[in-house]
Amino acid sequence: MKKYVLDLTVRGVELLSDRHVLLRLTDKQPLPEMVPGQFVEVRVDGSATTFLRRPISISFVDRVNNELWLMVAMVGDGTRQLGRLQVGDMLNCVLPLGNGFSIQSEETASLKVLLVGGGVGVAPMLYLGAELSAMGCKPTFLLGGRTAADLLMLDMFRKFGRVCLTTEDGSEGEKGFVTNHSVLNEPFDRIYTCGPTPMMKAVARYANEHHIACEVSLENMMACGLGACLCCVEKTTEGNLCVCKDGPVFNVNRLLWQI
């Protein structure tokens, strides 16, 4: 898929929580083709301590309004600078990068699909759920956070499927981790997940035990986004692979997590 370097215009900035912001970006031309699971490398201007671009998952693509949505977790100086962007500002982006989730319209409508997201890992689940819904599949979202304040954009998720929630403190949904939720007593044909590595490994174990096809979106540290710097290498059954170029989405059978 062709890659682009674009100066996108900030059309909207929405504070989702005290640590998360949603950026809605647009361009004068139609945005490039993008698939769920891919990401964007954004240049951070105005930060004296940020020299490298920051990888941000594609959260949603609104083709009607020609918008790209990015959910940013403000955890460092660079991402906090992104949270200070205003409507009308420009954001330089390299996109789309990486490989997305595997979804085939011919078979997807008949499948029972579970999308599991934790923390900022819920971001790519929204676009994936929207695409599945457009194919005739109504997915089940299983979203987890430490508290109710960590559960973001729930109204958007509910547009595309059933939403099940967990919080560690029990303030919303079922108390515990996503792998403790009662929805896992139901049969599923396929699982897609993104979030903290311990969470994804637990989901992968569940999928393996129940013989369910599972794909994970890894969140290794990615600097260049093109497979040149080798800082995001993951050990796989095929040797060391760059998450930014060969992923970030992998079938769990390609990873060494079950060994």
Side-chain angles (χ1 to χ4, degrees), residues 12-140:
V13 181
E14 180 183 352
L15 192 64
L16 300 175
S17 74
D18 59 351
R19 296 183 294 111
H20 299 87
V21 65
L22 179 69
L23 302 178
R24 294 190 291 111
L25 311 173
T26 190
D27 195 23
K28 294 178 181 178
Q29 304 297 321
L31 290 167
E33 178 186 357
M34 292 171 269
V35 298
Q38 291 185 307
F39 66 99
V40 177
E41 286 275 359
V42 302
R43 190 180 70 205
V44 181
D45 298 324
S47 171
T49 61
T50 307
F51 306 102
L52 300 173
R53 290 178 179 267
R54 289 293 182 263
I56 308 290
S57 294
I58 294 171
S59 184
F60 190 68
V61 179
D62 182 344
R63 290 295 176 188
V64 175
N65 295 301
N66 197 41
E67 290 181 350
L68 165 65
W69 295 11
L70 302 179
M71 183 192 293
V72 180
M74 297 178 287
V75 295
D77 185 62
T79 47
R80 282 194 294 268
Q81 189 66 30
L82 293 176
R84 298 186 188 105
L85 289 169
Q86 302 292 318
V87 172
D89 287 345
M90 305 298 291
L91 185 63
N92 185 268
C93 301
V94 181
L95 76 162
L97 298 172
N99 298 303
F101 295 99
S102 59
I103 50 177
Q104 295 83 33
S105 57
E106 311 82 45
E107 62 176 41
T108 298
S110 62
L111 297 179
K112 189 169 183 183
V113 178
L114 180 66
L115 310 185
V116 186
V120 76
V122 303
M125 296 293 104
L126 179 61
Y127 188 26
L128 177 58
E131 291 293 285
L132 289 170
S133 179
M135 294 176 179
C137 171
K138 293 298 181 183
T140 296

Side-chain angles (χ1 to χ4, degrees), residues 67-250:
E67 290 181 350
L68 165 65
W69 295 11
L70 302 179
M71 183 192 293
V72 180
M74 297 178 287
V75 295
D77 185 62
T79 47
R80 282 194 294 268
Q81 189 66 30
L82 293 176
R84 298 186 188 105
L85 289 169
Q86 302 292 318
V87 172
D89 287 345
M90 305 298 291
L91 185 63
N92 185 268
C93 301
V94 181
L95 76 162
L97 298 172
N99 298 303
F101 295 99
S102 59
I103 50 177
Q104 295 83 33
S105 57
E106 311 82 45
E107 62 176 41
T108 298
S110 62
L111 297 179
K112 189 169 183 183
V113 178
L114 180 66
L115 310 185
V116 186
V120 76
V122 303
M125 296 293 104
L126 179 61
Y127 188 26
L128 177 58
E131 291 293 285
L132 289 170
S133 179
M135 294 176 179
C137 171
K138 293 298 181 183
T140 296
F141 296 99
L142 176 54
L143 309 176
R146 272 175 275 195
T147 71
D150 298 316
L151 301 173
L152 310 173
M153 301 178 67
L154 297 184
D155 288 343
M156 280 296 298
F157 282 101
R158 291 185 175 116
K159 289 183 179 181
F160 304 116
R162 176 174 57 148
V163 175
C164 302
L165 305 173
T166 67
T167 49
E168 293 178 30
D169 66 354
S171 56
E172 185 76 22
E174 296 186 14
K175 185 175 182 179
F177 301 114
V178 291
T179 47
N180 304 131
H181 199 283
S182 59
V183 74
L184 295 179
N185 294 322
E186 300 177 16
F188 288 96
D189 301 305
R190 190 167 297 171
I191 297 176
Y192 302 98
T193 183
C194 183
T197 298
M199 183 207 81
M200 290 194 292
K201 287 185 175 181
V203 172
R205 283 195 299 271
Y206 167 85
N208 183 59
E209 291 166 1
H210 292 80
H211 310 289
I212 303 172
C214 180
E215 290 184 352
V216 300
S217 179
L218 301 186
E219 295 187 321
N220 297 31
M221 183 67 70
M222 294 181 280
C224 72
L226 301 170
C229 68
L230 304 179
C231 76
C232 64
V233 165
E234 178 78 16
K235 294 181 179 179
T236 75
T237 57
E238 303 154 45
N240 291 338
L241 296 179
C242 289
V243 169
C244 68
K245 181 173 67 69
D246 302 300
V249 177
F250 291 88

